């Protein structure tokens, strides 16, 4: 189907995917970290203490995702997503009204579970399940919401921080999330029939069968993929989490740093579209081993940059992997393990990624407190991505022979 006809015919479902990924922004690190300075000042926290609180809340959300993510195998998106959005509204209001530091782990848990966890999970599982031959295109379009959130929300809210109190802005976030509920119900008044419910051979995984979550966890490929799942989540999150500190280290204003986000987003969108196109033609097995190599260059550039030029080039490299990461791993689970139990399997992967986003800010924040400079940490992070790419390549080469033709 030509791309314009595909977009026109599937507009309600694709728009619902974009809406879910966009609204997940309020639970993503790049949004929460906008208020890092205000939160640390309001509650008297160091970088390490704030990172530890963030790690605690995010780890708890990863544990709950193992169970909650499987609900997508039992309930349709039009039933589950409005409930998750309602919980997100409550989480944003909780952040706005919270008076004490010791409730912050619970606030972070609520934001991360509803935003980064469930809304993101619902969107990508729906696209992978609803579409088979055009899975790459569908994931590319739906995950544009991530890119839109990254591009515009930090710039808008950092600018508004000069005018409004940070707690008022969280009330505004709650209102935006609330407006998404009726819009989503209209878009999904008629939900697309999940392709996986018909035992189609096109949706089978390795060895021409649908894998259960237990079988997936016993398969070596899952564990070879774990470092690659952890890496972008941990260290993308850490980078955006410490954006205020990084701006100080690089001698830039916070606004000057977030002004680079739209360029990062534009490149990410291009990489997302290109990876979706390549995915439908080449499959994930040929593409995944190369996906994280631009991250190596990105963090080396972040380490050595002395001004905005190299920093911007680092954002470009970071965006290449970020864009591909929006489509390739999400399609990987359907391609290698089938779609019948996709929600449960993807929930495990989502839990690993959420765990990574807990580890990244906590470890890097502790490093800063102990005197290990963020630029030195960037060099170590680049080395990690070399290791993760090697592990992923070995696992895929061993498993690709079992894929259904």
């Amino acid at each position: 189907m030509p791309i314009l006809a595909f977009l026109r015919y599937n507009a309600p479902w694709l728009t619902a995917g974009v809406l879910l990924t966009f609204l997940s922004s309020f639970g993503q690190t790049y949004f929460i970290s906008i208020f890092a300075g205000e939160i640390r000042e309001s509650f008297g926290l160091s970088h390490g203490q704030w990172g530890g609180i963030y790690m605690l809340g995010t780890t708890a959300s990863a544990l709950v995702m193992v169970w909650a993510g499987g609900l997508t195998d039992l309930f349709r998106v039009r039933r589950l997503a409005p409930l998750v959005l309602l919980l997100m509204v409550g989480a944003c209001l909780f952040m706005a009204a919270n008076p004490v530091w010791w409730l912050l782990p619970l606030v972070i848990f609520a934001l991360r579970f509803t935003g980064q966890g469930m809304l993101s999970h619902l969107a990508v599982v729906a696209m992978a399940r609803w579409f088979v031959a055009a899975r790459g295109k569908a994931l590319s379009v739906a995950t544009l919401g991530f890119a839109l959130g990254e591009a515009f929300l930090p710039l808008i809210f950092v600018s508004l921080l000069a005018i409004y109190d940070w707690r008022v802005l969280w009330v505004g976030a709650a209102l935006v999330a609330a407006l998404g509920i009726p819009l989503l119900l209209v878009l999904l008044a008629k939900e697309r029939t999940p392709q996986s419910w018909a035992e189609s051979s096109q949706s089978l995984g390795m060895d021409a069968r649908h894998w259960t979550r237990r079988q997936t966890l016993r398969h070596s490929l899952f564990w070879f993929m774990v470092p690659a799942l952890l890496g972008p989540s941990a260290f993308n999150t850490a980078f955006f989490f410490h954006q205020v500190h990084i701006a100080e280290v690089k001698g830039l204003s916070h606004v000057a740093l977030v002004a680079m986000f739209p360029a990062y987003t534009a490149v990410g969108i291009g990489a997302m579209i290109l990876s979706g196109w390549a995915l439908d033609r080449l499959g994930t097995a040929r593409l995944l081993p190369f996906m994280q190599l631009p991250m190596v260059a990105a963090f080396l550039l972040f380490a050595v940059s002395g001004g905005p030029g190299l920093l911007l080039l680092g954002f470009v490299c970071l965006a290449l992997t970020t864009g591909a990461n929006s489509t390739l791993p999400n399609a990987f689970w359907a391609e290698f393990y089938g779609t019948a139990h996709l929600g449960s399997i993807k929930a495990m992967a989502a839990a690993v990624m959420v765990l990574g986003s807990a580890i990244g800010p906590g470890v890097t924040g502790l490093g800063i407190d102990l005197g290990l400079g963020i630029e030195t940490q960037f060099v170590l992070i680049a080395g990690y991505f070399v290791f993760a790419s090697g592990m992923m390549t070995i696992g895929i080469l061993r498993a690709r022979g079992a894929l259904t033709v």
Side-chain angles (χ1 to χ4, degrees), residues 13-25:
W13 305 294
L14 295 172
T15 305
V18 173
L19 180 64
L20 288 172
T21 53
F22 176 78
L23 292 177
S24 78
S25 297

Side-chain angles (χ1 to χ4, degrees), residues 373-402:
I374 193 68
E375 292 174 321
T376 302
Q377 293 189 48
F378 286 157
V379 176
L380 299 176
I381 290 168
Y384 175 89
F385 281 111
V386 173
F387 163 74
S389 296
M391 292 291 288
M392 181 164 50
T393 301
I394 293 170
I396 289 174
L397 288 177
R398 291 178 57 181
R400 66 186 298 177

